[in-house]
């Protein structure tokens, strides 16, 4: 009996000792709840790109509906490949001077089922990589809205690859990598106000100016081909945005719940703000205005979704609905052809949201807020950091986009022929028609 007891104790001690190296190594272990949530969020963000295709597809003329879908699906494919090959590594790999990641994770080297010791330590690194990849997918697709109905498909393919490589990945590193210089500066961007929306919106404006206006713009009436499709796409964007912002918590937590709730509130209030402004200005509230306002609210709450309270999201939504409505209406007076208002909604909305994060950010929501927003008496330090992040993002995106467009112009060419544009990009670029009608535009 004594021998059996001794043997049992010895085995127990041996087992405990054998397990000690694993504890000592500090190897993070994936949490099933967090993993499930992040897998869901990844799928939701992926759905946003086809949703964007529907949203944009309903706004163009019927002869160009497939071309805008192809821009979005091209982004889905090309950005995925770029991210897997080296984009993830340059965004989230070990930092080189706070400006770019090294190539330690190129070709997903070292990215497997175990969690990272640096990011999302409770989910497999593959899940974190995939979640971030979906952001890299939709961002260049947003730019397509500004150059719709006139940019060569080959040019957009090259543009997408280059832009994600030299604009998106570095910005993601600056803002979200723990060693990124804007991260260390204290700039707050929970889910992509600067990285996704300001960068894409500003780049969209640059591309629209460089490529030029559509034939007949300002002289002919350009009517959306299918507003019901547009509203359906907008609804899918709203749905997917719960993953876009909620996943920023990197786990199934109370912070994810806050991001989820403020996302919905901001979208609803921005829709109201846009409708009221339009109702006063044009005497009629439009369905397009309602969905555009909702998207503007989703854009604006993105940088602050993990930092502001539900009550603050009401103010953010109402403000951005009016601001973006004004920005979109200013387009005709300023004379540029941002076909689907990528700049007016994403560039202006993202900037508004980033700055309002500096007003309403609260440490009660997220301990990462080391300096309260202006409205909470936190002083100007956070707002200064937000302004710097906005200005730097705009300047960097403008310069790099001009260079990329120059490369595209020298290689693929930027714009389709005038005759092709008149006939429509669906048939001239892809040999297909989205709609078979007796009379085309």
């Amino acid at each position: 009996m004594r021998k059996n007891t001794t043997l049992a104790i010895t085995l127990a001690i041996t087992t405990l000792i054998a397990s000690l190296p694993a504890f000592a190594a500090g190897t993070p272990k994936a949490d099933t709840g967090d993993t499930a949530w992040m897998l869901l969020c990844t799928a939701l963000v992926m759905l946003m790109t086809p949703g964007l295709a529907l949203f944009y597809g309903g706004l163009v003329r019927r002869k160009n509906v497939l071309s805008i879908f192809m821009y979005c699906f091209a982004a889905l494919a090309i950005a995925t490949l770029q991210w897997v090959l080296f984009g993830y590594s340059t965004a989230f790999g070990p930092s080189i001077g706070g400006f770019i990641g090294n190539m330690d994770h190129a070709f997903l080297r070292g990215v497997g089922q175990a969690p990272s010791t640096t990011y999302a330590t409770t989910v497999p690194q593959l899940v974190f990589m995939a979640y971030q990849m979906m952001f890299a997918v939709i961002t260049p697709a947003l730019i397509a809205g500004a150059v719709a109905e006139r940019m060569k498909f080959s040019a957009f393919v090259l543009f997408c690859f280059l832009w994600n490589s030299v604009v998106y990945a570095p910005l993601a590193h600056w803002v979200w990598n723990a060693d990124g210089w804007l991260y260390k500066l204290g700039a707050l961007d929970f889910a992509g106000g600067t990285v996704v929306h300001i960068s894409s919106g500003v780049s969209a404006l640059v591309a629209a100016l460089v490529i030029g206006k559509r034939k007949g713009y300002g002289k002919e009436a350009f009517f959306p081909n299918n507003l019901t499709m547009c509203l359906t796409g907008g609804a899918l964007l709203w749905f997917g945005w719960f993953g876009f912002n909620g996943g920023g918590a990197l786990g199934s937590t109370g912070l994810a719940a806050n991001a989820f709730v403020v996302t919905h509130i901001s979208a609803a209030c921005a829709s109201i703000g846009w409708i009221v402004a339009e109702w006063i200005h044009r005497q009629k509230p439009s369905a397009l205005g309602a969905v555009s306002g909702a998207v503007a609210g989703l854009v604006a709450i993105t940088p602050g979704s993990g930092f502001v309270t539900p009550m603050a999201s009401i103010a953010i939504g109402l403000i951005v609905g009016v601001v973006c409505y004004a920005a979109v209406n200013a387009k005709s007076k300023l004379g540029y052809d941002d076909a689907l208002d990528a700049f007016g909604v994403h560039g202006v909305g993202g900037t508004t949201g980033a700055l309002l994060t500096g007003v309403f950010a609260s440490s009660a929501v997220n301990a990462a807020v080391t300096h309260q927003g202006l409205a909470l008496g936190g002083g100007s330090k956070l707002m200064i950091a937000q302004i710097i992040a906005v200005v730097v993002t705009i300047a960097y995106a403008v310069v790099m986009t001009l260079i990329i467009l120059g490369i595209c112009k020298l290689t693929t060419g930027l714009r389709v022929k005038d005759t092709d544009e008149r006939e429509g990009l669906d048939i001239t670029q892809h040999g297909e028609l989205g709609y078979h009608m007796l009379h085309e535009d």
Side-chain angles (χ1 to χ4, degrees):
M1 181 71 177
R2 184 177 298 173
K3 183 181 292 186
N4 290 340
T5 301
T6 302
L7 179 61
I9 293 172
T10 301
L11 286 172
I13 293 173
T14 302
T15 302
L16 178 62
I17 292 173
S19 68
L20 285 178
F23 289 115
T27 304
K29 182 179 179 181
D31 178 87
T32 55
D34 288 349
T35 300
W37 170 243
M38 292 306 298
L39 284 169
L40 174 61
C41 289
T42 301
L44 286 171
V45 182
M46 180 272 164
L47 181 65
M48 291 174 69
T49 299
L52 181 69
L54 287 168
F55 181 72
Y56 279 170
L59 292 174
V60 296
R61 290 168 290 179
R62 62 175 179 260
K63 63 186 179 183
N64 295 313
V65 64
L66 285 183
S67 70
I68 199 71
F69 269 72
M70 281 296 288
Y71 288 149
C72 293
F73 274 75
L76 184 57
I78 294 161
T80 293
L81 181 61
Q82 185 270 348
W83 193 250
V84 167
L85 293 180
F86 59 86
Y88 174 70
S89 191
T90 53
F92 291 98
S95 187
I96 301 175
F99 290 95
I100 196 73
N102 66 19
M103 299 299 281
D104 280 6
H105 295 312
F107 302 94
L108 299 189
R109 185 169 54 247
V111 180
Q113 297 180 33
S116 165
T117 57
T118 307
Y119 305 100
T121 56
T122 61
V123 303
Q125 190 172 180
L126 272 173
V127 175
F128 176 72
M129 181 281 301
Y131 172 70
Q132 293 293 342
M133 178 171 64
M134 299 311 169
F135 283 69
V137 162
I138 196 171
T139 307
L142 294 172
I143 300 171
V147 296
E149 304 192 310
R150 64 219 195 259
M151 188 176 192
K152 281 186 175 182
F153 181 69
S154 57
F156 183 78
V157 168
L158 179 59
F159 178 88
C160 181
F161 184 85
L162 294 176
W163 193 89
N164 269 33
S165 299
V166 302
V167 179
Y168 182 84
L171 284 174
H173 186 87
W174 298 354
V175 174
W176 289 330
N177 192 299
D179 291 320
W181 75 274
L182 283 176
Y183 183 96
K184 288 186 172 181
L185 182 69
L188 299 178
D189 185 356
F190 193 71
T194 50
V195 179
V196 176
H197 297 293
I198 296 177
S199 67
S200 64
V202 170
S203 296
L205 176 61
V206 171
L209 292 172
V210 170
I211 293 175
K213 302 174 186 178
R214 289 168 289 177
K215 297 301 176 184
Y217 179 77
K219 301 175 182 177
E220 304 172 16
F222 292 173
F223 294 108
N225 79 89
N226 191 334
L227 280 178
T228 56
M229 179 192 292
C230 176
L231 266 70
T232 301
L236 286 175
L237 286 172
W238 194 330
F239 177 66
W241 227 290
F242 291 122
F244 196 88
N245 288 350
L250 303 177
S252 182
T253 63
L255 186 58
N258 186 87
F260 190 106
V261 170
V262 300
T263 294
H264 183 71
I265 294 172
S266 179
C269 290
S271 185
I272 293 170
W274 189 300
I275 288 172
V276 170
E278 186 177 41
W279 210 334
I280 294 171
H281 182 223
R282 299 184 183 276
Q283 286 76 55
K284 290 183 180 179
S286 68
L288 178 56
V291 70
S292 298
V295 173
L298 293 166
V299 169
I301 197 61
T302 292
S305 54
F307 305 118
V308 304
T309 66
M311 294 302 100
S313 70
I314 294 176
I316 291 172
L318 291 173
I319 291 169
V320 81
V322 176
V323 169
C324 285
Y325 175 74
V328 168
N329 277 278
K331 178 179 68 173
S332 59
K333 295 180 180 179
L334 295 174
Y336 65 90
D337 184 13
D338 174 5
L340 308 181
D341 297 312
F343 173 71
V345 173
H346 295 277
V348 174
T351 299
T352 302
L355 296 178
L356 289 177
T357 298
V359 175
F360 294 113
S362 170
S363 59
V365 174
N366 191 331
V369 178
T370 55
H371 299 281
Q372 302 270 64
L374 286 175
L376 302 178
S380 61
K381 189 164 186 177
L382 175 58
M383 179 57 79
I384 291 172
Q386 296 302 100
I387 292 171
I388 291 173
V390 167
V391 171
V392 167
T393 299
I394 292 172
Y396 184 73
V398 167
V399 172
M400 298 310 297
T401 300
L402 284 171
I403 293 172
I404 294 167
L405 289 170
I407 293 172
C408 292
K409 186 175 182 179
L410 291 173
T411 53
T412 61
L414 284 175
R415 187 167 181 151
V416 300
K417 297 177 182 177
D418 290 356
T419 53
D420 290 350
E421 186 177 340
R422 289 290 185 187
E423 189 174 357
L425 274 61
D426 287 1
I427 191 68
T428 60
Q429 292 285 293
H430 306 294
E432 300 171 294
L433 288 174
Y435 304 111
H436 290 271
M437 301 288 188
L438 290 176
H439 302 287
E440 293 296 326
D441 288 336

